[in-house]
Amino acid sequence: MKTRIWAARSVATVTGVVLAGALLAPSAVAHSGPDPKGPGKHTSGKKTPAKKTPAKQAPAKQAPAKPVVDGAQQGQVAGRKCVTSRDVASAVVDYSGSGLFETVFRSATDEQGHAFLNDSRNPGVWINLALVPGAPKCVYDTALAVTEEDPGHLYITLLASNGTLHQATCTSASSSPFSPANLATACAPGFTELADTPV
């Protein structure tokens, strides 16, 4: 009888020790799985110190350079000049029945936001579009379109640095190429802002 009591006490003691060990063991050891907060490989209960690597800084994101404009100061705001990327556009009359056949109209901007027009019948002459009333002071982009008649129409569209579009309709005739002397008259009344430009 004493042997059975002693055996029962021994089993109870061993069971108590095993249960206490299971309760005190870390969850990674108890479940035989990796410790999500521990090192990558679990080989023993010891944690190896993590290597310190210098923190990489993400490159600073820069907003695309957008030109700044103030009409009262001719493209200057707080002492900064209007700065844009260069742009070019062209349109050609391809109707062989027109006196303007194969006339090429080109527009271009410089890095200071000035826009210019060239008529292929007047080679080497670039007309500053600021001569046309209503032209924006700081131009970011240009576009051209032309009709086939003689006289026809040349449509000049300018994208101002603030995102608004301005358009002028100019009368093009085979008798007189565009020049600094006649452009403002040919494009009268001048540039007008297109309504509801999505800016």
Side-chain angles (χ1 to χ4, degrees), residues 103-178:
T103 300
V104 181
F105 300 103
R106 298 176 185 91
S107 62
T109 60
D110 63 13
E111 292 178 345
Q112 289 78 41
H114 304 117
F116 301 91
L117 177 71
N118 171 258
D119 183 331
S120 65
R121 299 169 296 168
N122 204 354
V125 176
W126 288 87
I127 309 160
N128 190 337
L129 288 173
L131 294 171
V132 180
K137 303 292 182 187
C138 185
V139 178
Y140 189 74
D141 200 356
T142 65
L144 297 175
V146 66
T147 61
E148 306 294 329
E149 294 86 13
D150 183 8
H153 291 103
L154 172 66
Y155 297 92
I156 305 171
T157 306
L158 303 178
L159 174 63
S161 61
N162 65 359
T164 58
L165 293 173
H166 300 258
Q167 184 174 328
T169 304
C170 311
T171 302
S172 56
S174 59
S175 57
S176 54
F178 291 126

Side-chain angles (χ1 to χ4, degrees), residues 57-71:
Q57 294 180 350
K61 290 184 180 179
Q62 295 180 343
K66 192 168 183 179
V68 180
V69 65
D70 183 345

